[in-house]
Amino acid sequence: MLIKKKKCPFCEKQAQTIDIDDIEELKKYITEKGKIIGSRFTGVCSWHQRKLKRAIKRARNAGLLSFISK
Ligand SMILES: [Zn+2]
């Protein structure tokens, strides 16, 4: 497989939290169908992946992200 080891982009930014209002950022980590992309592909560390999952769920509940993009 052609997966390079990437640095976690959130660690690089030294992000302690993931902002659910930053939809453009969150969108990078979900598929077209609204599924969360695995950390293996995005390089997000497990700690931030957990935070990301929560942020995406909250954004969905708040109606900021649709499950299926049109
Ligand atoms: Zn990280």
Side-chain angles (χ1 to χ4, degrees):
M1 286 218 264
L2 289 166
I3 297 165
K4 277 186 197 164
K5 217 179 164 151
K6 281 189 258 176
K7 265 191 189 163
C8 168
F10 294 107
C11 283
E12 291 226 299
K13 282 194 276 183
Q14 298 189 309
Q16 297 296 311
T17 57
I18 294 169
D19 194 353
I20 70 159
D21 294 319
D22 199 352
I23 296 306
E24 290 308 309
E25 187 71 23
L26 295 182
K27 275 185 181 169
K28 289 185 203 164
Y29 301 100
I30 55 171
T31 65
E32 286 177 355
K33 289 181 179 172
K35 282 185 85 181
I36 298 167
I37 299 169
S39 54
R40 267 188 293 165
F41 298 100
T42 57
V44 177
C45 70
S46 55
W47 191 79
H48 277 114
Q49 184 73 6
R50 270 209 309 274
K51 300 228 157 215
L52 189 62
K53 253 189 196 169
R54 271 216 212 130
I56 289 168
K57 271 186 191 160
R58 272 194 294 157
R60 274 180 191 155
N61 290 337
L64 299 171
L65 281 175
S66 49
F67 287 90
I68 297 158
S69 60
K70 286 164 196 167

Coordinates of all heavy atoms in Angstrom, one line a residue:
M1 N 0.8 -1.2 0.0 CA 0.0 0.0 0.0 C 0.9 1.2 0.0 O 2.0 1.3 0.5 CB -0.9 0.0 1.2 CG -2.1 -1.0 1.0 SD -3.6 -0.4 1.7 CE -3.6 -1.1 3.3
L2 N 0.3 2.3 -0.6 CA 1.1 3.5 -0.8 C 0.8 4.5 0.3 O 0.5 5.7 0.0 CB 0.8 4.1 -2.1 CG 1.4 3.3 -3.3 CD1 0.7 3.9 -4.6 CD2 2.9 3.5 -3.4
I3 N 0.8 4.1 1.5 CA 0.5 5.0 2.6 C 1.8 5.4 3.3 O 2.5 4.6 3.8 CB -0.5 4.4 3.6 CG1 -1.8 4.1 2.8 CG2 -0.8 5.4 4.7 CD1 -2.7 3.2 3.6
K4 N 2.0 6.7 3.2 CA 3.2 7.3 3.8 C 2.8 7.6 5.3 O 1.7 7.9 5.6 CB 3.7 8.5 3.1 CG 4.5 8.3 1.9 CD 5.0 9.6 1.4 CE 5.5 9.5 0.0 NZ 5.6 10.8 -0.7
K5 N 3.8 7.5 6.1 CA 3.6 7.9 7.4 C 3.5 9.4 7.5 O 4.5 10.1 7.2 CB 4.6 7.3 8.4 CG 4.0 6.9 9.6 CD 4.8 6.3 10.7 CE 3.9 6.4 11.9 NZ 3.9 5.7 12.9
K6 N 2.4 9.9 7.9 CA 2.2 11.3 8.0 C 2.2 11.8 9.4 O 1.8 11.0 10.3 CB 0.9 11.7 7.3 CG 0.9 11.7 5.8 CD -0.3 12.4 5.3 CE -1.2 11.3 4.8 NZ -2.5 11.8 4.3
K7 N 2.5 13.0 9.6 CA 2.4 13.5 10.9 C 0.9 13.9 11.2 O 0.2 14.4 10.2 CB 3.2 14.8 11.1 CG 4.6 14.4 11.7 CD 5.3 15.7 12.1 CE 6.7 15.4 12.4 NZ 7.6 16.6 12.4
C8 N 0.5 13.8 12.4 CA -0.9 14.2 12.7 C -1.0 15.7 12.5 O -0.3 16.5 13.1 CB -1.2 13.8 14.1 SG -2.7 14.5 14.8
P9 N -1.9 16.2 11.6 CA -2.1 17.6 11.4 C -2.5 18.4 12.6 O -2.2 19.6 12.7 CB -3.1 17.6 10.2 CG -3.8 16.3 10.2 CD -2.9 15.3 10.8
F10 N -3.2 17.7 13.5 CA -3.7 18.5 14.7 C -2.6 18.6 15.7 O -2.5 19.6 16.3 CB -4.9 17.8 15.3 CG -6.1 17.8 14.4 CD1 -6.5 16.6 13.7 CD2 -6.8 18.9 14.2 CE1 -7.6 16.6 12.9 CE2 -7.9 19.0 13.4 CZ -8.3 17.8 12.7
C11 N -1.7 17.6 15.7 CA -0.5 17.7 16.6 C 0.4 18.8 16.1 O 1.0 19.6 16.9 CB 0.2 16.4 16.7 SG -0.6 15.2 17.7
E12 N 0.5 18.9 14.8 CA 1.3 19.9 14.2 C 0.9 21.3 14.6 O 1.7 22.2 14.7 CB 1.3 19.8 12.7 CG 2.1 18.5 12.2 CD 3.0 18.8 11.1 OE1 2.5 19.3 10.0 OE2 4.2 18.6 11.2
K13 N -0.5 21.5 14.6 CA -1.0 22.8 15.0 C -1.1 22.9 16.5 O -1.5 24.0 17.0 CB -2.5 22.9 14.4 CG -2.5 23.2 12.9 CD -3.9 23.6 12.5 CE -4.7 22.4 12.2 NZ -6.1 22.7 11.8
Q14 N -0.7 21.9 17.2 CA -0.8 21.8 18.6 C -2.2 22.1 19.1 O -2.4 22.8 20.1 CB 0.2 22.8 19.3 CG 1.6 22.5 18.9 CD 2.6 23.3 19.7 OE1 2.6 24.5 19.7 NE2 3.6 22.6 20.3
A15 N -3.2 21.5 18.4 CA -4.6 21.7 18.8 C -4.9 20.9 20.0 O -4.7 19.7 20.0 CB -5.4 21.4 17.6
Q16 N -5.5 21.5 20.9 CA -6.0 20.8 22.1 C -7.4 20.3 21.9 O -7.8 19.3 22.4 CB -5.9 21.7 23.4 CG -4.5 22.1 23.7 CD -3.6 20.9 24.1 OE1 -4.0 20.1 24.9 NE2 -2.4 20.9 23.5
T17 N -8.1 21.1 21.2 CA -9.5 20.8 20.9 C -9.7 20.9 19.4 O -8.9 21.6 18.7 CB -10.5 21.7 21.6 OG1 -10.2 23.0 21.3 CG2 -10.4 21.5 23.1
I18 N -10.8 20.3 18.9 CA -11.1 20.5 17.5 C -12.4 21.3 17.4 O -13.4 20.9 18.1 CB -11.2 19.1 16.8 CG1 -9.8 18.5 16.8 CG2 -11.8 19.2 15.4 CD1 -9.8 17.0 16.4
D19 N -12.4 22.3 16.7 CA -13.5 23.3 16.7 C -14.6 22.7 15.7 O -14.3 22.5 14.5 CB -13.0 24.6 16.2 CG -14.0 25.7 16.4 OD1 -15.1 25.4 16.8 OD2 -13.7 26.9 16.2
I20 N -15.8 22.6 16.2 CA -16.8 22.0 15.3 C -17.3 23.1 14.4 O -18.0 22.8 13.4 CB -18.0 21.4 16.1 CG1 -18.9 22.5 16.8 CG2 -17.6 20.4 17.1 CD1 -20.3 22.1 17.1
D21 N -17.0 24.3 14.6 CA -17.4 25.4 13.6 C -16.5 25.4 12.4 O -16.9 26.0 11.4 CB -17.4 26.7 14.3 CG -18.5 26.8 15.4 OD1 -19.6 26.3 15.2 OD2 -18.2 27.4 16.5
D22 N -15.4 24.7 12.5 CA -14.5 24.7 11.4 C -14.9 23.6 10.4 O -14.2 22.6 10.3 CB -13.1 24.5 11.9 CG -12.0 25.0 10.9 OD1 -12.4 25.3 9.7 OD2 -10.8 25.0 11.2
I23 N -16.0 23.8 9.8 CA -16.5 22.7 8.9 C -15.6 22.3 7.8 O -15.5 21.2 7.5 CB -17.9 23.2 8.4 CG1 -18.9 23.4 9.5 CG2 -18.5 22.2 7.4 CD1 -19.1 22.3 10.4
E24 N -15.0 23.3 7.2 CA -14.0 23.0 6.1 C -12.9 22.0 6.6 O -12.5 21.1 5.8 CB -13.4 24.3 5.5 CG -14.4 25.1 4.8 CD -15.2 24.3 3.7 OE1 -14.5 23.7 2.9 OE2 -16.4 24.4 3.7
E25 N -12.5 22.2 7.8 CA -11.5 21.4 8.3 C -12.0 20.0 8.6 O -11.4 19.0 8.2 CB -10.9 22.0 9.6 CG -9.8 21.3 10.3 CD -8.5 21.5 9.5 OE1 -8.4 22.5 8.7 OE2 -7.6 20.7 9.6
L26 N -13.2 19.9 9.2 CA -13.8 18.6 9.5 C -14.1 17.9 8.2 O -14.0 16.6 8.2 CB -15.1 18.8 10.3 CG -15.0 19.4 11.7 CD1 -16.4 19.5 12.3 CD2 -14.1 18.6 12.6
K27 N -14.5 18.6 7.2 CA -14.9 17.9 5.9 C -13.7 17.2 5.3 O -13.9 16.2 4.5 CB -15.4 19.0 4.9 CG -16.8 19.3 5.1 CD -17.3 20.2 4.0 CE -18.8 20.6 4.1 NZ -19.1 21.7 3.2
K28 N -12.5 17.6 5.7 CA -11.3 16.9 5.1 C -11.2 15.5 5.7 O -10.5 14.6 5.1 CB -10.0 17.6 5.5 CG -9.8 18.9 4.8 CD -8.5 19.5 5.2 CE -8.4 21.0 5.1 NZ -7.3 21.5 5.8
Y29 N -11.9 15.2 6.8 CA -11.8 14.0 7.4 C -13.0 13.1 7.3 O -13.1 12.1 8.0 CB -11.4 14.2 8.9 CG -10.1 15.0 9.0 CD1 -10.1 16.3 9.3 CD2 -8.9 14.3 8.8 CE1 -8.9 17.1 9.3 CE2 -7.7 15.1 8.8 CZ -7.8 16.4 9.1 OH -6.6 17.1 9.1
I30 N -13.9 13.5 6.5 CA -15.0 12.6 6.2 C -15.2 12.4 4.7 O -14.7 13.2 3.9 CB -16.4 13.2 6.8 CG1 -16.6 14.6 6.2 CG2 -16.4 13.1 8.3 CD1 -18.0 15.1 6.6
T31 N -15.7 11.2 4.4 CA -15.9 10.9 3.0 C -17.1 11.7 2.4 O -17.8 12.3 3.2 CB -16.2 9.4 2.8 OG1 -17.4 9.1 3.4 CG2 -15.1 8.6 3.4
E32 N -17.4 11.5 1.1 CA -18.5 12.1 0.5 C -19.8 11.7 1.2 O -20.8 12.5 1.2 CB -18.6 11.8 -1.0 CG -17.5 12.5 -1.8 CD -17.5 12.0 -3.2 OE1 -18.3 11.1 -3.6 OE2 -16.8 12.6 -4.0
K33 N -19.8 10.5 1.7 CA -21.0 10.0 2.3 C -21.1 10.3 3.8 O -22.0 9.9 4.5 CB -21.1 8.5 2.1 CG -21.4 8.1 0.7 CD -21.5 6.6 0.5 CE -21.8 6.3 -1.0 NZ -21.7 4.9 -1.3
G34 N -20.1 11.1 4.2 CA -20.2 11.5 5.6 C -19.6 10.6 6.6 O -19.7 10.8 7.8
K35 N -18.9 9.6 6.1 CA -18.2 8.7 7.0 C -16.8 9.2 7.4 O -16.2 9.9 6.6 CB -18.0 7.3 6.4 CG -19.3 6.5 6.4 CD -19.0 5.1 5.8 CE -18.5 4.2 6.9 NZ -18.2 2.8 6.3
I36 N -16.4 8.9 8.6 CA -15.1 9.4 9.1 C -14.0 8.6 8.5 O -14.1 7.4 8.5 CB -15.1 9.4 10.6 CG1 -16.2 10.3 11.2 CG2 -13.7 9.7 11.1 CD1 -16.4 10.0 12.7
I37 N -13.1 9.3 7.9 CA -12.0 8.6 7.2 C -11.0 8.1 8.3 O -10.7 8.8 9.3 CB -11.2 9.5 6.3 CG1 -12.2 10.0 5.2 CG2 -10.0 8.8 5.7 CD1 -11.7 11.1 4.3
G38 N -10.6 6.8 8.2 CA -9.7 6.2 9.2 C -8.4 7.0 9.3 O -7.9 7.6 8.4
S39 N -7.9 7.0 10.5 CA -6.7 7.7 10.8 C -5.5 7.2 10.0 O -4.5 7.9 9.8 CB -6.4 7.6 12.3 OG -6.3 6.3 12.8
R40 N -5.6 5.9 9.6 CA -4.5 5.4 8.8 C -4.3 6.2 7.5 O -3.2 6.2 7.0 CB -4.8 3.9 8.4 CG -4.3 2.9 9.3 CD -4.5 1.5 8.8 NE -5.9 1.2 8.7 CZ -6.4 0.2 8.0 NH1 -5.6 -0.6 7.3 NH2 -7.7 -0.1 8.0
F41 N -5.4 6.7 7.0 CA -5.3 7.5 5.7 C -5.0 8.9 5.9 O -4.4 9.6 5.1 CB -6.6 7.3 4.9 CG -6.9 5.9 4.6 CD1 -7.7 5.1 5.3 CD2 -6.2 5.3 3.5 CE1 -7.9 3.8 5.0 CE2 -6.4 4.0 3.2 CZ -7.3 3.2 3.9
T42 N -5.5 9.5 7.0 CA -5.3 10.9 7.3 C -4.1 11.2 8.1 O -3.6 12.4 8.1 CB -6.6 11.5 8.0 OG1 -6.8 10.8 9.2 CG2 -7.8 11.4 7.1
G43 N -3.6 10.2 8.8 CA -2.4 10.5 9.6 C -2.7 11.1 11.0 O -1.8 11.4 11.7
V44 N -4.0 11.2 11.3 CA -4.4 11.7 12.5 C -4.1 10.7 13.6 O -4.3 9.5 13.5 CB -5.9 12.0 12.5 CG1 -6.4 12.5 13.9 CG2 -6.2 13.1 11.5
C45 N -3.5 11.1 14.7 CA -3.1 10.2 15.8 C -4.4 9.8 16.5 O -5.5 10.4 16.4 CB -2.2 10.9 16.8 SG -2.9 12.2 17.7
S46 N -4.3 8.7 17.3 CA -5.5 8.2 17.9 C -6.2 9.2 18.9 O -7.4 9.2 19.0 CB -5.2 6.9 18.6 OG -4.2 7.0 19.5
W47 N -5.3 10.0 19.5 CA -5.9 10.9 20.5 C -6.7 11.9 19.8 O -7.9 12.3 20.2 CB -4.7 11.6 21.2 CG -5.2 12.4 22.4 CD1 -5.5 11.9 23.6 CD2 -5.3 13.8 22.4 NE1 -5.8 13.0 24.4 CE2 -5.7 14.2 23.7 CE3 -5.1 14.9 21.5 CZ2 -6.0 15.5 24.1 CZ3 -5.4 16.2 21.9 CH2 -5.8 16.4 23.2
H48 N -6.2 12.5 18.7 CA -7.0 13.5 17.9 C -8.1 12.8 17.1 O -9.1 13.5 16.9 CB -6.1 14.3 17.0 CG -5.4 15.4 17.7 ND1 -4.0 15.4 17.9 CD2 -5.9 16.5 18.3 CE1 -3.7 16.6 18.6 NE2 -4.8 17.2 18.8
Q49 N -7.9 11.6 16.7 CA -9.0 10.9 16.0 C -10.3 10.8 16.9 O -11.4 11.0 16.4 CB -8.5 9.5 15.6 CG -9.5 8.7 14.7 CD -9.6 9.2 13.3 OE1 -8.9 10.1 12.9 NE2 -10.5 8.7 12.6
R50 N -10.0 10.5 18.2 CA -11.1 10.5 19.1 C -11.8 11.8 19.2 O -13.0 11.9 19.2 CB -10.6 10.1 20.5 CG -10.6 8.6 20.7 CD -10.9 8.2 22.2 NE -9.9 9.0 23.1 CZ -8.7 8.5 23.4 NH1 -8.3 7.4 22.9 NH2 -8.0 9.2 24.2
K51 N -11.0 12.9 19.3 CA -11.6 14.2 19.4 C -12.3 14.6 18.1 O -13.4 15.2 18.1 CB -10.5 15.2 19.6 CG -9.7 15.0 20.8 CD -9.6 16.3 21.6 CE -9.3 16.0 23.1 NZ -9.9 16.9 24.0
L52 N -11.7 14.2 17.0 CA -12.3 14.4 15.7 C -13.7 13.7 15.5 O -14.7 14.4 15.1 CB -11.4 13.9 14.6 CG -11.6 14.2 13.2 CD1 -11.6 15.7 12.9 CD2 -10.6 13.6 12.3
K53 N -13.8 12.5 16.0 CA -15.0 11.8 15.9 C -16.1 12.5 16.7 O -17.2 12.6 16.2 CB -14.8 10.4 16.6 CG -14.8 9.2 15.6 CD -14.8 8.0 16.4 CE -14.4 6.8 15.6 NZ -14.2 5.6 16.4
R54 N -15.7 13.0 17.9 CA -16.7 13.7 18.7 C -17.1 15.0 18.0 O -18.3 15.3 18.0 CB -16.1 14.0 20.0 CG -16.3 13.0 21.1 CD -16.5 13.7 22.4 NE -15.9 12.9 23.5 CZ -15.1 13.3 24.4 NH1 -14.7 14.6 24.4 NH2 -14.7 12.5 25.3
A55 N -16.1 15.7 17.5 CA -16.4 17.0 16.8 C -17.4 16.8 15.6 O -18.3 17.5 15.4 CB -15.1 17.6 16.4
I56 N -17.1 15.7 14.9 CA -17.9 15.4 13.7 C -19.3 15.0 14.1 O -20.3 15.5 13.6 CB -17.3 14.4 12.8 CG1 -16.0 15.0 12.1 CG2 -18.3 13.8 11.8 CD1 -15.1 14.0 11.4
K57 N -19.4 14.2 15.2 CA -20.8 13.9 15.7 C -21.5 15.1 16.2 O -22.7 15.2 15.9 CB -20.6 12.9 16.8 CG -20.6 11.4 16.3 CD -20.7 10.5 17.5 CE -20.4 9.1 17.0 NZ -19.9 8.2 18.1
R58 N -20.8 15.9 16.9 CA -21.5 17.1 17.4 C -21.9 18.1 16.2 O -23.0 18.7 16.2 CB -20.6 17.9 18.4 CG -20.8 17.4 19.8 CD -20.1 18.3 20.7 NE -18.7 18.3 20.6 CZ -17.9 19.3 20.9 NH1 -18.4 20.4 21.5 NH2 -16.6 19.2 20.7
A59 N -21.1 18.2 15.2 CA -21.4 19.0 14.1 C -22.6 18.5 13.3 O -23.4 19.2 12.9 CB -20.1 19.1 13.2
R60 N -22.7 17.2 13.3 CA -23.8 16.5 12.6 C -25.1 16.8 13.4 O -26.1 17.2 12.8 CB -23.7 15.0 12.6 CG -22.9 14.5 11.4 CD -22.8 13.0 11.5 NE -21.9 12.5 10.6 CZ -21.3 11.3 10.8 NH1 -21.5 10.6 11.9 NH2 -20.5 10.8 9.9
N61 N -25.0 16.7 14.7 CA -26.2 16.9 15.5 C -26.6 18.4 15.5 O -27.8 18.7 15.6 CB -25.9 16.5 17.0 CG -25.8 15.0 17.2 OD1 -26.3 14.3 16.3 ND2 -25.1 14.6 18.2
A62 N -25.6 19.2 15.3 CA -26.0 20.7 15.2 C -26.4 21.0 13.8 O -26.7 22.2 13.5 CB -24.7 21.5 15.6
G63 N -26.4 20.1 12.9 CA -26.8 20.3 11.5 C -25.8 21.0 10.7 O -26.1 21.5 9.6
L64 N -24.6 21.0 11.1 CA -23.5 21.7 10.4 C -23.0 20.8 9.3 O -22.5 21.3 8.3 CB -22.4 22.1 11.3 CG -22.8 23.1 12.4 CD1 -21.6 23.3 13.4 CD2 -23.2 24.5 11.8
L65 N -23.1 19.5 9.5 CA -22.6 18.6 8.5 C -23.8 17.7 8.2 O -24.5 17.2 9.0 CB -21.5 17.7 9.1 CG -20.1 18.2 9.2 CD1 -19.3 17.1 9.9 CD2 -19.5 18.5 7.8
S66 N -23.9 17.5 6.9 CA -25.0 16.5 6.5 C -24.4 15.1 6.4 O -23.2 15.0 6.2 CB -25.6 16.9 5.2 OG -24.6 17.2 4.3
F67 N -25.2 14.1 6.6 CA -24.7 12.8 6.5 C -24.3 12.4 5.1 O -23.3 11.8 4.8 CB -25.7 11.8 7.0 CG -25.9 11.8 8.5 CD1 -26.8 12.7 9.1 CD2 -25.1 11.0 9.3 CE1 -26.9 12.7 10.5 CE2 -25.2 11.1 10.7 CZ -26.1 11.9 11.3
I68 N -25.1 12.9 4.2 CA -24.8 12.7 2.8 C -24.8 14.0 2.1 O -25.7 14.8 2.1 CB -26.0 11.8 2.2 CG1 -26.0 10.4 2.8 CG2 -25.7 11.6 0.6 CD1 -27.3 9.7 2.7
S69 N -23.7 14.3 1.5 CA -23.5 15.6 0.8 C -24.2 15.5 -0.5 O -24.2 14.5 -1.2 CB -22.1 16.0 0.7 OG -21.4 15.0 0.0
K70 N -24.8 16.6 -0.9 CA -25.5 16.5 -2.2 C -24.7 17.1 -3.3 O -23.8 17.8 -3.1 CB -26.8 17.4 -2.0 CG -27.8 16.6 -1.2 CD -28.9 17.6 -0.7 CE -29.7 17.0 0.5 NZ -30.5 17.9 1.1
Ligands
ZN1 ZN -2.6 14.4 17.0

